Amino acid sequence: MKTTIIKVFICLVVFSLPLSAQAQETVDTRIGKLSFTHDFTSGYPTDETIAKLFDEIDFQRACQAYIWSIPLVSMAQWQYAYNVTLGAENGQITFLNGYDDLLGGLTFNATTPYALVFIDLGDEPWVVHMPEGEVRGAAHDMWEMEITSMTKPGKYVFVGPGQKAPAGAEKAGYTVHQAPTNSIFLGIRLIPTDPDERKALLENVEIYPYAERKAPKPRGYITPKGRRWSAAHPRGMEFWQRLSDIINKEPVAERDRFFMAMLAPLGIEKGKPFKPTKEQERILTEAVLVGEAMAKAIDFKKSPRLKDAHYVDGSGWDIDTTSPPNQRREHYDALDGRASWFYEAVTNNKAMHGMETGEGQVYLTAYKDKGGDWLDGAENYTLHIPPDAPAKLFWSLTLYEVDGRDIIHNKQKRADRSSRYDLLKNADGSVDLYFGPDEPKGKEQNWIPTEPGRAFFAMMRFYSPGKTLVDRTWILPDIEKAK
């Protein structure tokens, strides 16, 4: 009887203890210790743990938002450089020709010039008149998805989201395209190698509002005139400012609504100015650094994580175009694939997927040498290109800075070597290229200078790829340290 009374008394005491006196559990996790009022399964997180979890939620979401927004911020930064740094008007072409002009563009081909233009459709449609001749173009939205190619001469009309196509435009001979974003980007390629022919074509590309169709006032073109510009993703809080600006300017796609929810607690919300608190700024400042580090990991270590990157077993080269043109897989969107491609490049269309189609272009990239070491501007390297390189038009090898992903910086203003150049060839028709700070005696014309203190990567382009490249019977060897 006494024993029973004692047990009942002990139970009454235990259940009458205040909550704070009951056993707590602390668990170790990758984000530190998390404490709960009871054990993990039945207890509440403590106030300190709740604060830590919300901080981690915001940080993780900011990192993922960085990866998600890479293509959008890339275009927003490029448009900012186009308008603010270079001073281009709406619909005015920027003509980039030569080494100095191309500095700042993401993995531009140093072999050919570029004619580039942003159009803010605003409240009215715009016309792009492509002339007769060797000129090609394509229009993309601000997520870098192709709206249409412009390979044929004619008048193309672009209509913004929510706008109605002009009545009678198609009957009048215009080709009408509805853009999913308020701004669009046009990349125009001038094919002739003769500078005078090129200029004549450029001057015949006419861009103007549809309302001016009866008396067009083409916006013409400008050149950088020595002004330095950059389309690389900005760092620090400028990245988030650019993201906030473009979100306020462009419609939100249905697929992106969850990311908008992630951004709202961080101070980035459509229809509201970006005025982060000190705490939000602290999180975002760290997240932009970690987010870019994640993007570098995804990009510079494509294989085997990104299946589209696989070239051949054991090769140090990757196929660079790791996202489908529409950025969509069967059951999901290509989040990492597009982050990899758009961290270092711009726009994406079917012509860029030559390993699948056998047409257009093929892009192979290398970030390490044959020994598995990252490419370093302080080292000297060689690349052997076997005979009969499978490019019906031409091939080119270009080096790029890791920092801004633009053409490599050097005093000689030389970033590429191409089959269009007068290169030294071996007896069997093969070519040896040289990269490094030391000029190879007697082989200068096959050399791309690098400078110590900076990392670089290489991109090999094949224009109109041959069958032996597509079926992998012709293999590009790895880059090797010079002996």
Side-chain angles (χ1 to χ4, degrees):
M1 185 67 178
K2 287 182 178 179
T3 302
T4 301
I5 292 172
I6 291 169
K7 288 180 178 179
V8 170
F9 176 76
I10 292 171
C11 287
L12 288 172
V13 170
V14 169
F15 282 106
S16 66
L17 287 172
L19 188 63
S20 60
Q22 295 183 27
Q24 294 187 357
E25 182 179 8
T26 298
V27 294
D28 289 323
T29 72
R30 65 188 303 156
I31 67 169
K33 295 182 182 298
L34 303 179
S35 298
F36 300 85
T37 57
H38 297 71
D39 59 35
F40 172 75
T41 57
S42 61
Y44 293 103
T46 63
D47 289 344
E48 293 80 5
T49 291
I50 287 173
K52 177 183 288 188
L53 289 169
F54 278 134
D55 186 78
E56 186 65 21
I57 287 170
D58 289 343
F59 176 71
Q60 288 189 16
R61 287 178 174 177
C63 291
Q64 295 308 307
Y66 182 100
I67 293 170
W68 158 79
S69 65
I70 281 174
L72 182 64
V73 174
S74 176
M75 295 301 274
Q77 173 61 24
W78 198 358
Q79 189 176 31
Y80 178 87
Y82 168 90
N83 292 135
V84 178
T85 309
L86 296 179
E89 298 176 15
N90 190 27
Q92 191 173 42
I93 295 169
T94 53
F95 182 54
L96 308 176
N97 185 27
Y99 181 91
D100 290 330
D101 286 358
L102 297 176
L103 286 171
L106 295 185
T107 53
F108 278 2
N109 181 354
T111 307
T112 55
Y114 287 79
L116 310 171
V117 59
F118 283 92
I119 302 175
D120 185 343
L121 297 172
D123 298 323
E124 60 180 337
W126 278 64
V127 176
V128 178
H129 181 197
M130 297 290 283
E132 296 279 353
E134 291 185 286
V135 58
R136 306 287 184 271
H140 295 78
D141 68 15
M142 294 301 282
W143 282 97
E144 309 203 45
M145 287 188 279
E146 186 178 65
I147 299 170
T148 183
S149 62
M150 297 183 294
T151 58
K152 297 179 180 179
K155 295 180 179 180
Y156 299 77
V157 174
F158 294 94
V159 182
Q163 297 177 10
K164 291 183 179 180
E170 291 187 345
K171 288 184 178 180
Y174 295 90
T175 304
V176 180
H177 297 278
Q178 190 90 37
T181 54
N182 291 310
S183 286
I184 62 173
F185 168 78
L186 308 179
I188 300 170
R189 181 75 73 191
L190 307 169
I191 306 300
T193 55
D194 180 79
D196 292 333
E197 289 184 48
R198 227 185 257 149
K199 185 178 179 182
L201 274 177
L202 179 62
E203 290 174 346
N204 284 324
V205 177
E206 298 182 340
I207 301 173
Y208 51 87
Y210 182 77
E212 296 179 4
R213 64 193 179 280
K214 293 182 180 180
K217 300 174 185 176
R219 299 316 190 251
Y221 71 93
I222 64 169
T223 60
K225 295 180 180 178
R227 287 169 290 193
R228 292 298 302 272
W229 62 283
S230 176
H233 306 80
R235 296 186 171 106
M237 291 300 292
E238 189 179 358
F239 180 94
W240 304 110
Q241 183 64 62
R242 204 71 73 241
L243 178 59
S244 176
D245 291 344
I246 197 69
I247 282 174
N248 274 315
K249 184 177 180 180
E250 298 296 348
V252 176
E254 192 65 25
R255 69 178 186 181
D256 295 325
R257 292 174 66 87
F258 276 122
F259 279 99
M260 300 304 295
M262 293 182 186
L263 288 168
L266 295 164
I268 300 174
E269 194 169 357
K270 189 169 181 63
K272 296 182 179 180
F274 182 45
K275 296 181 179 179
T277 64
K278 290 292 184 182
E279 182 62 16
Q280 289 169 334
E281 189 169 337
R282 178 188 67 81
I283 292 170
L284 290 169
T285 299
E286 184 177 5
V288 77
L289 190 151
V290 175
E292 184 177 5
M294 290 176 173
K296 286 188 174 191
I298 294 168
D299 185 20
F300 302 146
K301 182 57 178 169
K302 292 179 175 65
S303 299
R305 190 179 183 94
L306 301 176
K307 62 179 182 179
D308 290 358
H310 182 259
Y311 173 44
V312 292
D313 291 345
S315 174
W317 293 93
D318 288 326
I319 299 171
D320 212 19
T321 42
T322 50
S323 170
N326 67 355
Q327 303 175 14
R328 182 146 288 188
R329 303 290 185 188
E330 183 180 2
H331 301 297
Y332 61 92
D333 284 354
L335 183 64
D336 284 355
R338 75 178 193 181
S340 172
W341 174 245
F342 292 122
Y343 178 70
E344 70 173 53
V346 287
T347 71
N348 190 7
N349 53 51
K350 187 177 179 180
M352 295 178 171
H353 294 258
M355 289 298 274
E356 299 172 18
T357 65
E359 300 174 347
Q361 303 97 45
V362 168
Y363 305 85
L364 299 180
T365 46
Y367 312 98
K368 292 184 175 183
D369 63 25
K370 187 174 182 178
D373 296 324
W374 297 107
L375 298 175
D376 186 344
E379 295 282 351
N380 290 300
Y381 301 93
T382 61
L383 172 63
H384 180 71
I385 301 175
D388 302 317
K392 297 171 187 175
L393 288 180
F394 69 97
W395 59 259
S396 69
L397 188 288
T398 311
L399 302 187
Y400 297 98
E401 300 280 338
V402 169
D403 181 7
R405 284 84 70 205
D406 59 344
I407 56 176
I408 197 162
H409 303 179
N410 54 46
K411 296 175 182 178
Q412 294 82 356
K413 297 185 178 183
R414 178 188 293 184
D416 71 321
R417 296 289 83 188
S418 163
S419 59
R420 285 187 166 183
Y421 296 148
D422 181 21
L423 301 177
L424 293 174
K425 295 182 180 179
N426 300 316
D428 62 356
S430 64
V431 175
D432 293 312
L433 300 182
Y434 303 87
F435 325 134
D438 300 322
E439 185 175 7
K441 293 182 179 180
K443 302 172 182 176
E444 297 83 1
Q445 63 207 79
N446 289 29
W447 173 54
I448 304 175
T450 65
E451 297 180 353
R454 299 196 307 275
F456 70 92
F457 63 96
M459 182 181 290
M460 183 75 170
R461 291 174 169 90
F462 299 84
Y463 288 86
S464 294
K467 183 178 181 299
T468 57
L469 177 66
V470 176
D471 64 18
R472 275 81 161 177
T473 54
W474 186 96
I475 304 298
L476 182 64
D478 288 344
I479 297 170
E480 299 187 48
K481 289 188 179 71
K483 296 178 181 178

